[in-house]
Amino acid sequence: MLGKLSSSLKDSIRKIAMAKRIDKQTVEELVRDIQRALIQADVKIALVKELSNRIRERSLKEKLTLNPREHVIKVVYEELMNIIGKGVEVPLASQKIMMVGLHGTGKTSSCAKLARYFKKKGLKPAVICADVYRPAASDQLRQLCDSISVPFYDGADLPAGKSVMDIVKAGVRGFEKYDIRIIDTAGRHALEEEMIEEIREIEELIRPEQRFLVLDASIGQQASVQARAFDDAVGITGIIITKMDGTAKGGGALSAVSETNSGIAFIGTGEKVDDIEKFESDRFISRLLGMGDLKSLIEMAEESLEEKDVDKDILKGKFTLKDLYKQLEAVRKMGPFKKIMQMMPLGGLGVDLNDEMYQITEDKLGQFRVMMDSMTEEELNDPKVIGGSRLRRIARGSGTSTAEVSALLKYHRLMQKMMKQLGSGRGRMPMMKGMPIGKMMKKLK
Ligand SMILES: Nc1nc2c(ncn2[C@@H]2O[C@H](COP(=O)(O)OP(=O)(O)OP(=O)(O)O)[C@@H](O)[C@H]2O)c(=O)[nH]1
Ligand SMILES: [Mg+2]
C-alpha cells in the first residue's frame, strides 16, 4: 500500500536516524525529501507547505524532551497525523449507514465489506440497494450479500413505478430487527445537483446515524472537491478510501479529510469482501514510515523504564481479553522480544529467561489478533461467555480452528492468573507491556 510514498518516507527517516547531528541543514534536507514524497503521492501543495513549515519550526525550536533525532522523527510523525487526521471510531452498535460517493468509487463493494465487518463483530447486518439507475446494480449487490449470507433488499416486491424513496422506506422498515442497516446509493459521473438532491432526500427520510463517503484513492487531489460537496450536502460522518492497494496517489484522498469535519473510518485494500481495514492513523503512519515500533519507541523514550502504575483492576485479576490484546499490540509494535526482554529488570520477579522463551513468533501474535478482531465487545471484556457456538463463529470469522481459539482463551486464563498472582504478591512489576508473555508462551507449548 502506498509503496512509493512509504519507501521515500522510510529513506528520509533513516537518514535522520543516522545523521551525525541535527542542525538546520539536516532538517532542511529532511523537509525537502518529505515534500517530494508527499507531492508525488498527490497531497495538496498547501498542506505540504504547512507541514514543511511546522517541521522546520518544531524540529529546531521546540524544547527537547527526547534526543534530537527522536525529537525530529516524533515531529514528522505528529505532523503527518495532523494531515491524515485521527480517524473516526465507528461504534459497534445499532445504526443505519448510508453510502455516498461518485460513480465507481467502490460504494457497492464497501457495503458488502462493511456488512461482513460488522457480522464478524457479532452484529446483524442487512443491506438495501437504492440504486435504480444502473440495471446490474442490484444483481451485483445481491451476489455480494449472498456470498456472505447477509439479507438484501432492492424493492423487487414493490409495484412498478416505485421510487428510490419507496425502496429505502420499505427496506429500512423491513429490516427493523437488524442491528446494522446499510443503504447503497447510486453513483454519478460528476457532482450533479440531481444526485446530491437524491441523497439529501434519503438522508431526511431515514436520518442515518452514519453518512459514509466512499473515495477512490486513485483520484488524488480531486478527492477534496468531492469531500467538500458531499459534506455540504449530508454532513459526512466517516470516509472510506478504497483501492489503496492499487495507487501511488493515495495521499490526495488521505488528505481530503481536512475538507470535512470527520475522518477516515475504513480503507479498502482489494476487491474481495475481506479487503477492508479499520483505519487507525497511528498504526497507519507507523507503517508508512516503516517503523512499526516507532510510536512505542518514542513512548518508551518518554516514559523511561521506571516502574509504572499498573492498572489496579488488572492486578485484581480483572484482566480482560482486551487487556491482553493491548499487551500483544504493544509488544508487536516494539519489535523483537529478545530486545524488549533484555531491557527489563526481571531478576526480581524470579523469572529465568532462556532462549526458548523468546521464540514466540510474529505469526502467532498475528493470529491472536485476527481472532480477537472477530470477537464482540462483550466477548473481549468477558471471555467466559464464549461457549461452543461462539467459539465456532470466532473460528469461522478469523479463518482459524476452534482448537486455535481455545488455545488463545487458555493463554488468556493463564495470563489472568499470573496477573492476579503478581497483584497479590511481591508488588514490583516493571514494564507491564511485554513481560509475562515469554513465560506464558512457554507454558502453552
Ligand atoms: N483493487 C480494489 N478494487 C476495488 C476496491 N473497492 C472496490 N473495487 C473495485 O472497483 C470497482 C467499482 O466498485 P463498485 O463497488 O461497483 O463501485 P460503486 O461505487 O458501487 O459504483 P457505482 O454503483 O457504479 O457508482 C469494482 O470492480 C470493485 O471490485 C478496493 O479497495 N481495491
Ligand atoms: Mg454501486
Side-chain angles (χ1 to χ4, degrees):
M1 206 195 310
L2 291 175
K4 179 116 192 1
L5 174 62
S6 182
S7 67
S8 322
L9 289 176
K10 276 179 211 168
D11 285 345
S12 24
I13 293 290
R14 209 170 299 134
K15 263 197 229 164
I16 284 292
M18 296 192 312
K20 280 210 183 70
R21 76 174 93 75
I22 302 292
D23 54 18
K24 213 169 160 199
Q25 200 189 331
T26 22
V27 171
E28 198 46 48
E29 227 173 274
L30 170 77
V31 166
R32 235 173 281 138
D33 284 348
I34 292 180
Q35 280 178 340
R36 210 174 298 127
L38 293 179
I39 288 168
Q40 273 176 3
D42 218 18
V43 176
K44 214 155 91 178
I45 307 279
L47 287 174
V48 177
K49 268 197 181 144
E50 205 179 297
L51 168 130
S52 309
N53 288 337
R54 291 183 54 87
I55 293 180
R56 274 191 204 106
E57 186 78 7
R58 294 189 52 198
S59 292
L60 297 169
K61 297 201 179 135
E62 241 169 42
K63 219 170 132 229
L64 297 188
T65 50
L66 303 162
N67 83 40
R69 283 171 203 78
E70 284 165 347
H71 175 73
V72 174
I73 293 172
K74 181 169 177 254
V75 167
V76 172
Y77 179 91
E78 285 172 358
E79 292 305 326
L80 282 173
M81 182 86 99
N82 215 5
I83 288 192
I84 294 178
K86 269 213 175 78
V88 296
E89 182 76 26
V90 181
L92 293 174
S94 280
Q95 55 195 321
K96 297 185 285 295
I97 301 174
M98 174 166 85
M99 308 289 263
V100 302
L102 287 196
H103 178 67
T105 51
K107 293 179 295 300
T108 302
S109 326
S110 299
C111 284
K113 290 178 179 181
L114 280 181
R116 172 126 171 106
Y117 170 83
F118 285 110
K119 198 174 171 184
K120 273 190 179 179
K121 298 286 186 187
L123 291 161
K124 269 172 42 187
V127 178
I128 299 157
C129 173
D131 181 354
V132 296
Y133 308 101
R134 204 162 53 83
S138 126
D139 284 342
Q140 179 198 2
L141 190 52
R142 180 196 311 278
Q143 277 168 20
L144 284 168
C145 288
D146 283 350
S147 75
I148 51 172
S149 308
V150 164
F152 163 83
Y153 183 77
D154 65 353
D157 58 333
L158 298 177
K162 62 203 164 200
S163 69
V164 170
M165 297 308 140
D166 295 334
I167 298 172
V168 172
K169 208 190 286 176
V172 165
R173 198 174 299 147
F175 286 141
E176 210 145 30
K177 293 216 174 69
Y178 287 80
D179 303 314
I180 308 287
R181 289 172 282 178
I182 305 171
I183 299 103
D184 188 16
T185 65
R188 301 286 157 91
H189 282 291
L191 289 160
E192 299 163 16
E193 189 45 43
E194 238 173 278
M195 169 194 56
I196 295 286
E197 196 43 51
E198 183 173 293
I199 58 170
R200 249 195 223 126
E201 272 180 52
I202 300 178
E203 200 272 327
E204 270 171 31
L205 180 71
I206 56 166
R207 295 278 170 207
E209 288 81 356
Q210 304 290 355
R211 281 90 58 198
F212 283 170
L213 170 63
V214 182
L215 289 175
D216 177 338
S218 64
I219 59 165
Q221 286 184 42
Q222 276 305 308
S224 291
V225 185
Q226 295 180 17
R228 208 174 313 133
F230 282 103
D231 195 41
D232 285 347
V234 292
I236 296 304
T237 58
I239 295 176
I240 302 180
I241 300 182
T242 61
K243 312 187 195 180
M244 283 295 278
D245 49 310
T247 178
K249 294 203 299 180
L254 283 169
S255 50
V257 290
S258 59
E259 304 291 341
T260 72
N261 283 320
S262 73
I264 303 167
F266 293 95
I267 47 182
T269 54
E271 297 197 46
K272 295 193 293 299
V273 281
D274 277 318
D275 296 333
I276 188 164
E277 286 179 21
K278 187 173 152 216
F279 182 76
E280 288 167 39
S281 56
D282 52 354
R283 220 154 110 186
F284 185 84
I285 293 169
S286 299
R287 225 158 67 186
L288 208 56
L289 295 180
M291 303 178 86
D293 50 5
L294 176 65
K295 187 155 171 268
S296 320
L297 279 177
I298 290 169
E299 275 168 9
M300 262 157 77
E302 280 173 347
E303 286 169 7
S304 79
L305 281 178
E306 275 170 37
E307 186 168 346
K308 288 194 59 193
D309 277 345
V310 175
D311 190 335
K312 294 212 175 53
D313 282 348
I314 290 183
L315 291 182
K316 274 189 206 137
K318 221 178 151 193
F319 180 75
T320 67
L321 267 170
K322 269 183 158 171
D323 297 320
L324 177 64
Y325 188 102
K326 268 190 252 157
Q327 202 177 45
L328 294 182
E329 273 280 274
V331 171
R332 196 183 57 84
K333 281 186 188 166
M334 279 194 280
F337 262 106
K338 194 160 180 169
K339 226 168 59 199
I340 305 161
M341 300 292 229
Q342 282 167 346
M343 291 170 67
M344 295 185 297
L346 290 166
L349 283 167
V351 181
D352 176 27
L353 295 176
N354 57 34
D355 260 8
E356 201 186 309
M357 284 185 191
Y358 299 126
Q359 298 195 347
I360 170 173
T361 60
E362 281 275 312
D363 284 355
K364 193 81 203 163
L365 288 182
Q367 195 191 42
F368 281 4
R369 281 185 356 95
V370 177
M371 288 190 254
M372 291 191 210
D373 274 340
S374 287
M375 292 180 192
T376 64
E377 287 292 296
E378 186 199 7
E379 289 158 358
L380 288 169
N381 282 320
D382 185 14
K384 279 201 295 296
V385 302
I386 302 176
S389 73
R390 292 194 187 214
L391 201 65
R392 282 191 293 280
R393 192 205 78 234
I394 295 163
R396 214 168 33 239
S398 56
T400 58
S401 68
T402 50
E404 282 164 323
V405 181
S406 298
L408 168 63
L409 296 178
K410 187 172 155 202
Y411 173 54
H412 168 256
R413 279 195 302 274
L414 286 167
M415 284 282 276
Q416 197 174 32
K417 215 169 116 194
M418 179 156 172
M419 291 294 170
K420 220 168 171 174
Q421 277 166 8
L422 282 164
S424 62
R426 285 151 294 188
R428 249 193 89 77
M429 179 71 193
M431 280 295 287
M432 279 292 294
K433 278 180 181 162
M435 191 277 305
I437 289 181
K439 185 164 182 181
M440 302 321 293
M441 290 308 288
K442 195 182 175 201
K443 277 198 182 176
L444 261 188
K445 279 185 195 156

